[in-house]
């Protein structure tokens, strides 16, 4: 995203956050009056690089989430306001047993 901002200016690139943890990048390169035919391949290359970076991030995030969810004593923490691969909370077995007892009593 930063490389696109550097190439075209931050006023021409906009990150739009949609519901469902979806982000869209809107690019208005044609508003830049100095865009030349020679710059088009550079623009396409930058976009391809960003798409690959996003795809890799999504793959890593999915892999991380699957790994955490497969563990009995880990709790996946999702913070939609913080773009990251993810976070987890460790729950010791004795706390899980205590929580199960409290749930059964309640």
């Amino acid at each position: 995203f930063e490389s696109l901002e550097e190439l075209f200016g931050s006023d021409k690139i906009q990150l739009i956050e949609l519901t469902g943890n979806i982000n869209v990048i809107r690019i208005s390169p044609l508003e830049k009056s100095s865009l030349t035919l020679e710059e088009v391949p550079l623009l396409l290359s930058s976009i391809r690089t960003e798409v690959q970076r996003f795809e890799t991030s999504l793959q890593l995030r999915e892999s991380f989430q699957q790994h955490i969810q497969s563990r009995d004593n880990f709790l996946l923490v999702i913070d939609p306001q913080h773009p990251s691969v993810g976070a987890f909370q460790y729950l010791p077995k004795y706390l899980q047993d205590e929580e199960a007892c409290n749930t059964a009593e309640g």
Side-chain angles (χ1 to χ4, degrees):
F1 189 73
E2 290 82 17
S3 63
L4 293 174
E5 283 183 334
E6 289 173 14
L7 182 60
F8 294 101
S10 60
D11 58 328
K12 307 294 187 262
I13 307 293
Q14 182 180 11
L15 181 64
I16 303 169
E17 296 181 21
L18 304 176
T19 58
N21 207 13
I22 298 172
N23 293 324
V24 175
I25 297 177
R26 181 168 51 190
I27 304 171
S28 304
L30 299 179
E31 291 179 13
K32 181 181 177 188
S33 60
S34 63
L35 182 67
T36 64
L37 189 58
E38 291 79 27
E39 290 178 316
V40 172
L42 182 58
L43 168 65
L44 294 176
S45 175
S46 295
I47 292 172
R48 284 187 192 106
T49 299
E50 291 303 316
V51 168
Q52 288 173 350
R53 186 174 300 146
F54 286 138
E55 287 176 345
T56 301
S57 296
L58 289 173
Q59 289 170 355
L60 288 171
R61 183 178 205 173
E62 184 176 317
S63 175
F64 177 81
Q65 289 177 355
Q66 288 174 357
H67 180 72
I68 295 302
Q69 290 171 339
S70 70
R71 311 283 240 164
D72 290 336
N73 56 343
F74 285 10
L75 177 65
L76 181 64
V77 177
I78 297 175
D79 182 1
Q81 300 301 318
H82 183 68
S84 67
V85 173
F88 68 93
Q89 179 181 3
Y90 173 73
L91 297 173
K93 182 75 172 143
Y94 70 88
L95 286 179
Q96 290 177 0
D97 293 340
E98 185 177 303
E99 184 176 313
C101 288
N102 290 339
T103 304
E105 291 173 1

